[in-house]
């Protein structure tokens, strides 16, 4: 590639730049829904739980009033709470807690037993797990015209409720513009609830404990105290929400009490007990197998089995009900999928004309309801071959991808006559499948009208989405989860694909198809912790050393606007810019401003946008779709996205559209571009990890430029900073319901 000789070297990314600034973290993005998950509190809780919260980028400097992508996703998932309330009413008996605890954990469980005995009436502190009913099928939403409108927002709170909340906020000195959010979060009677318990303000996204404390002091006066039971309960729930931003579905009790101590809760144990008693959170006692010990169920005889069970170590977890029920529902649904299919392979499922791991995948799916498939970009050809074979047998088979770009790339792998009559409808987006806008629709019982579902980019599944998918499959249907386990995990809580791989309850097929070329060699090495020097005779990989963030922005603009188009013929819109965080001198905000000024200058007369601007559109909280501005009129801002034309109402532009010349790795995951420019400013050194580097570098199809200002932090991150486990219950729940795969 032709670039300025004094700043560009055609070397492998192990090379270092001439200097870097001091370590730091990028700021979080503010104001828009297409932002990255992770806050300082989420990272703090993650550290206590022994996880790094890889769902976040730019950790450590997000302002409290700013809305992250994961927080937006959590807001969207509040719609599930109505379903959860129905399930709570169906739960009957509390589960029996064990007796092999001492100290704080024993005191906590004793308090829970007292609650169950009638000391306080929390309905669902320890619900008895049972198979969850399948979610009712939503009405299909198929577009009647080519222009796609945004999804209907949840009903707004009643005006009198908002007015009542506004008066309480004014009395407590809180911003009155929080009134609508607080009314929506707390529901009917929100004003009275806030006056009685001011710390309920923590239910509003972006509010921090110190802000809620100030609000409470203004309302309660001398009655406000740090040891107030209401404060302890609210901070407990808030910390678990922050943990969800870092990817945890629950926290171990010691991690939670330690985090409460850092929030100046005098008696952390009492705070947890109070939250349990009120039903705000749930506690779980999970028995664990000691390393090298045989499972308790393998002991001979009933007495021996009971003794072995009692001697097993346990851990006490505390979590929010929504994620607990999602994990239980997912485990139940996966067990049903595994157990409802006959294990004998049918002769017609023999892999005709296939070999290697593609044939192995077909044979595995022939005899099993659930199969995991791992591999990189080139390995997508194997589930494509499976889909082709299944449709040729007359099965109702569909592949679902997380992004429109992924859908198009997967569809390109299918032959035109995959089902004897073309491939229309064979590949859909996951969001379209769940909404009924794409795919075969649902049967009378609310299940997908499918015999086989192949779900790509499986590492991006959060626990609630995975539960929805699994519950929607009919008895006897097969499910294949395919993806690259080395990429960044889901922005939402859980690590479903990694948990399933660890649980070993179903066949796993590892692809033997490597990604080709210098880029494939580079990314494959990163996946195993090695940043290798790679020969790139066609300048597939270029390193651009920089001294500081200002130079990083300058060189990035030069690459996108001049060097890459001149060397490869790619238009600027075909080159993605990826940086670790939204804030900072070389974050997405700074890069977007610089790139727009060079590539599409304009006054921003349409809410800060001009025709031709690259944008990221969030059609629903937690989802980001690249697009381009076309025009604007009385109806709103008109975009063109992979799914077609979109009209964004003018009152929603500010919170659902942002500039998209530069993205973070989480926004880019699931997509591929002809060229990628990965920007590594010095202040991003501490936020780098192997999954981040693997994901960012892997977005390039033909060319990768690395704007390198982190010195030795890059090879160190690849070699020494893997993704740490998130705290989840799914592996244990699966092992109790599904025997290990042979």
């Amino acid at each position: 590639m032709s670039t300025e000789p004094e700043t560009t070297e055609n070397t492998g990314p192990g090379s270092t730049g001439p200097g870097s600034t001091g370590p730091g973290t990028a700021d979080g993005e503010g104001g828009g829904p297409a932002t990255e998950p992770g806050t300082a509190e989420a990272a703090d809780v993650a550290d206590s739980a022994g996880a790094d919260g890889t769902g976040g980028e730019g950790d450590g400097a997000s302002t409290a009033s700013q809305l992250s992508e994961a927080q937006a996703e959590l807001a969207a998932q509040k719609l599930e709470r109505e379903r959860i309330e129905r399930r709570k009413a169906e739960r009957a008996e509390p589960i029996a807690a064990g007796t092999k605890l001492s100290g704080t954990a024993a005191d906590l469980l004793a308090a829970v037993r007292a609650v169950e005995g009638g000391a306080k009436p929390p309905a669902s502190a320890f619900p008895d797990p049972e198979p969850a009913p399948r979610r009712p099928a939503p009405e299909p939403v198929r577009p009647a015209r080519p222009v796609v409108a945004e999804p209907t927002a949840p009903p707004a709170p009643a005006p009198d409720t908002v007015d009542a909340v506004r008066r309480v906020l004014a009395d407590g000195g809180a911003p009155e513009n929080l009134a609508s959010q607080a009314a929506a979060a707390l529901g009917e009677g929100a004003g009275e609830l806030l006056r009685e318990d001011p710390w309920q303000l923590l239910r509003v996204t972006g509010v921090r404990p110190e802000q809620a404390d100030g609000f409470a002091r203004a309302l309660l006066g001398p009655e406000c105290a740090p040891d107030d039971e209401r404060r302890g309960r609210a901070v407990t729930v808030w910390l678990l929400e922050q943990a969800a931003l870092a990817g945890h579905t629950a926290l171990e009790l010691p991690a939670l009490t330690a985090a409460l101590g850092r929030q100046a809760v005098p008696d952390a144990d009492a705070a947890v007990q109070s939250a349990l008693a009120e039903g705000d959170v749930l506690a779980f006692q999970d028995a664990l197998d000691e390393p090298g010990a045989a499972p308790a169920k393998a002991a001979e005889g009933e007495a021996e089995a009971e003794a072995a069970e009692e001697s097993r170590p346990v851990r006490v977890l505390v979590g929010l009900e929504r994620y607990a029920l999602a994990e239980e529902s997912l485990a139940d649904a996966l067990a049903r999928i595994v157990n409802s299919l006959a294990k004998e392979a049918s002769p017609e499922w023999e892999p005709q004309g296939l070999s290697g791991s593609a044939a192995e995948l077909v044979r595995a799916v022939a005899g099993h309801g659930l199969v995991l498939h791992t591999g990189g970009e080139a390995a997508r050809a194997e589930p494509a071959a499976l889909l082709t074979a299944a449709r040729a047998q007359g099965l109702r088979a569909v592949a679902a991808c997380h992004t429109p770009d992924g859908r198009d790339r997967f569809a390109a792998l299918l032959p035109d006559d995959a089902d004897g009559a073309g491939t229309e409808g064979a590949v859909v987006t996951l969001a379209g499948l769940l909404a009924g806008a794409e795919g075969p629709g649902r049967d009378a019982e609310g299940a997908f009208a499918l015999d086989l579902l192949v779900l790509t980019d499986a590492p991006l599944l959060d626990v609630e989405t995975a539960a929805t998918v699994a519950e929607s499959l009919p008895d006897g249907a097969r499910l294949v989860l395919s993806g690259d386990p080395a990429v960044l995990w889901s922005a939402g809580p859980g690590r479903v694909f990694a948990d399933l791989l660890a649980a070993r309850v179903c066949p796993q097929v590892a692809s033997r198809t490597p990604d080709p070329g210098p880029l494939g060699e580079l990314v494959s090495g990163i996946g195993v912790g090695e940043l290798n020097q790679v020969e790139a005779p066609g300048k597939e990989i270029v390193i651009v050393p920089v001294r500081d963030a200002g130079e990083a922005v300058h060189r990035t603009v030069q690459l996108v606007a001049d060097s890459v188009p001149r060397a490869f013929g790619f238009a600027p819109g075909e080159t993605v810019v990826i940086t670790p965080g939204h804030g900072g001198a070389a974050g997405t905000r700074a890069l977007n401003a610089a790139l727009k000024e060079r590539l599409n200058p304009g006054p921003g007369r349409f809410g800060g946008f001009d025709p031709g601007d690259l944008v990221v559109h969030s059609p629903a909280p937690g989802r980001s779709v690249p697009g381009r501005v076309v025009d604007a009129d009385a109806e709103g801002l008109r975009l063109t996205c992979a799914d077609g034309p979109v009209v964004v109402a003018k009152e929603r532009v500010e919170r659902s559209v942002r500039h998209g010349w530069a993205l973070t790795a989480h926004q880019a995951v699931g997509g591929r571009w002809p060229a990628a420019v990965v920007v590594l400013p010095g202040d991003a050194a501490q936020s780098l990890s192997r999954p981040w580097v693997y994901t960012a570098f892997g977005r390039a199809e033909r060319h990768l430029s690395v704007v390198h200002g982190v010195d030795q932090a890059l090879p160190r991150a690849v070699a020494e900073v893997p993704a740490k486990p998130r705290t989840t219950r799914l592996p244990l729940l699966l092992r109790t319901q599904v025997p290990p795969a042979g």
Side-chain angles (χ1 to χ4, degrees):
M1 189 182 95
S2 176
T3 55
E4 295 298 326
E6 67 272 16
T7 60
T8 303
E9 303 174 23
N10 185 19
T11 62
S15 302
T16 59
S20 65
T21 60
T25 11
D27 295 338
E29 168 71 346
T35 58
E36 288 303 302
T39 64
E41 291 74 22
D44 195 24
V45 174
D47 290 339
S48 298
D52 65 352
T54 53
E57 296 172 283
D59 292 341
S62 296
T63 56
S65 63
Q66 294 172 334
L67 184 62
S68 74
E69 184 172 342
Q71 287 171 316
E73 182 170 338
L74 294 177
Q77 292 169 349
K78 286 181 180 178
L79 297 176
E80 294 291 311
R81 289 179 178 169
E82 182 179 344
R83 173 182 60 82
I84 289 173
E85 291 300 323
R86 292 197 299 269
R87 288 186 178 178
K88 286 171 62 178
E90 296 170 359
R91 306 280 173 156
E93 302 275 334
I95 63 173
T99 58
K100 306 304 290 184
L101 299 176
S102 60
T104 301
D107 295 339
L108 173 61
L109 291 177
V112 173
R113 291 194 186 96
V115 168
E116 293 171 343
K120 282 190 179 182
S124 58
F126 280 94
D128 191 15
E130 61 183 44
R134 179 175 289 135
R135 290 183 175 88
E139 290 295 327
V141 183
R142 300 187 182 275
R145 54 177 182 160
V147 177
V148 180
E150 290 192 302
T152 303
D160 55 346
T161 301
V162 176
D163 291 340
V165 171
R166 186 176 290 110
R167 289 192 294 270
V168 177
L169 293 174
D171 292 344
E176 295 185 24
N177 59 7
L178 293 178
S180 295
Q181 291 177 265
L186 300 176
E188 188 177 355
E192 296 178 6
L193 178 59
L194 268 181
R195 196 173 292 280
E196 294 173 0
D197 184 356
W199 286 283
Q200 289 296 312
L201 192 64
L202 284 173
R203 303 272 186 177
V204 178
T205 301
V207 176
R208 295 168 52 89
E210 57 266 29
Q211 295 168 324
D213 288 341
F215 178 65
R217 283 193 296 270
L219 283 182
L220 301 179
E223 297 180 10
C224 180
D227 60 350
D228 194 299
E229 183 182 35
R230 294 168 293 183
R231 181 178 189 271
R233 285 198 307 270
V235 173
T236 298
V237 173
W238 181 80
L239 283 171
L240 290 172
E241 292 280 7
Q242 298 304 305
L245 297 181
H248 306 287
T249 58
L251 286 181
E252 293 194 26
L253 180 60
L256 179 58
T257 54
L260 284 165
R262 289 192 294 273
Q263 293 298 329
V265 176
D267 191 342
D269 297 331
V272 176
Q273 293 172 16
S274 176
L276 285 166
E278 293 297 326
D280 293 332
V281 301
L282 301 179
F284 310 93
Q285 179 183 330
D286 288 345
L288 303 174
D289 289 326
E290 294 186 28
K297 63 182 180 181
E300 295 182 1
E302 183 176 345
E304 290 83 351
E306 291 180 0
E309 184 69 28
E310 291 181 359
S311 65
R312 295 169 70 189
V314 297
R315 65 174 181 173
V316 176
L317 297 174
V318 181
L320 299 174
E321 184 180 44
R322 57 187 296 191
Y323 305 124
L325 290 181
E327 284 192 300
E328 290 177 3
S329 297
L330 176 57
D332 291 342
L334 291 175
R336 175 178 58 82
I337 292 170
V338 169
N339 296 324
S340 66
L341 185 69
K343 299 301 188 290
E344 296 81 11
S346 302
E348 62 269 23
W349 271 86
E350 288 302 316
Q352 302 292 334
L354 298 177
S355 61
S357 43
E360 184 181 352
L361 177 61
V362 172
R363 282 191 291 265
V365 174
H368 300 84
L370 176 64
V371 175
L372 308 181
H373 172 260
T374 60
E377 183 66 23
R380 288 174 178 261
E382 294 164 13
L386 167 68
L387 186 69
T388 300
R391 291 174 71 89
Q393 295 298 326
L395 296 180
R396 301 171 299 173
V398 163
C401 306
H402 277 263
T403 64
D405 174 66
R407 175 194 60 195
D408 296 341
R409 285 185 286 116
F410 193 92
L413 299 173
L414 301 179
D416 291 338
D417 60 346
D419 60 354
T423 59
E424 184 177 356
V427 190
V428 300
T429 63
L430 180 58
L433 178 67
L434 293 175
E438 299 179 71
R442 299 181 182 246
D443 60 23
E445 296 182 357
F448 294 140
L450 287 175
D451 301 307
L452 169 65
L453 175 62
V454 178
L455 184 57
T456 67
D457 297 318
L460 305 185
L461 274 177
D462 63 85
V463 67
E464 290 187 308
T465 303
T468 304
V469 171
E471 288 180 350
S472 298
L473 285 173
D475 291 344
R478 294 168 169 88
L479 173 63
V480 176
L481 298 178
S482 176
D484 190 340
V487 301
L488 288 167
W489 289 338
S490 64
R495 46 166 226 164
V496 174
F497 195 53
D499 281 348
L500 281 168
L501 289 169
R504 297 192 174 277
V505 295
C506 64
Q508 302 180 14
V509 178
S511 174
R512 297 187 290 277
T513 306
D515 288 340
L519 283 168
E521 181 183 351
L522 172 66
V523 173
S524 296
I526 293 171
V528 296
E530 299 175 358
L531 189 64
N532 299 316
Q533 297 284 344
V534 175
E535 293 294 330
K539 295 198 173 182
E540 294 88 350
I541 304 167
V542 169
I543 307 303
V544 183
V546 294
R547 293 179 294 272
D548 53 41
E551 186 180 3
V553 173
H554 172 73
R555 292 303 180 193
T556 299
V557 173
Q558 180 187 57
L559 285 165
V560 174
D562 297 326
S563 302
V564 173
R566 185 168 63 248
F568 296 95
F570 300 147
E574 296 179 293
T575 300
V576 65
V577 175
I578 301 175
T579 191
H582 289 293
T588 61
R589 287 179 290 185
L591 286 166
N592 274 320
L595 288 164
K596 173 175 170 53
E597 182 179 359
R598 174 64 183 276
L599 299 172
N600 196 47
R605 59 185 182 275
F606 302 141
F609 301 98
D610 295 294
D613 278 350
L614 292 184
V615 296
V616 174
H617 171 229
S618 292
R623 288 185 57 215
S624 299
V625 180
R628 188 183 293 270
V629 176
V630 177
D631 202 347
D633 53 28
E635 292 185 23
L637 188 66
R638 294 187 175 273
L639 312 176
T640 177
C641 299
D643 282 334
V646 176
V647 176
V648 183
K650 58 183 179 180
E651 63 271 14
R652 291 182 56 84
V653 169
E654 183 178 358
R655 62 178 181 269
S656 64
V657 183
R658 60 180 298 273
H659 286 289
W661 309 93
L663 309 174
T664 59
H666 257 103
Q667 291 176 319
V669 68
R672 297 263 288 183
W673 286 261
V677 176
V678 177
V679 185
L680 303 176
D683 61 359
Q686 299 301 314
S687 63
L688 297 180
S689 66
R690 184 188 306 161
W692 192 95
V693 177
Y694 183 94
T695 302
F697 285 15
R699 298 314 93 202
E701 290 181 333
R702 292 179 53 192
H703 172 76
L704 169 68
S705 284
V706 181
V707 179
H708 195 330
V710 291
D711 198 45
Q712 292 300 314
L714 177 58
R716 185 166 53 249
V718 170
E720 303 174 7
V721 190
K724 296 180 181 178
R726 298 176 174 184
T727 304
T728 64
R729 300 180 63 228
L730 184 59
L732 183 64
L733 292 170
L734 286 170
R735 284 194 292 267
T736 61
Q737 299 190 55
V738 184

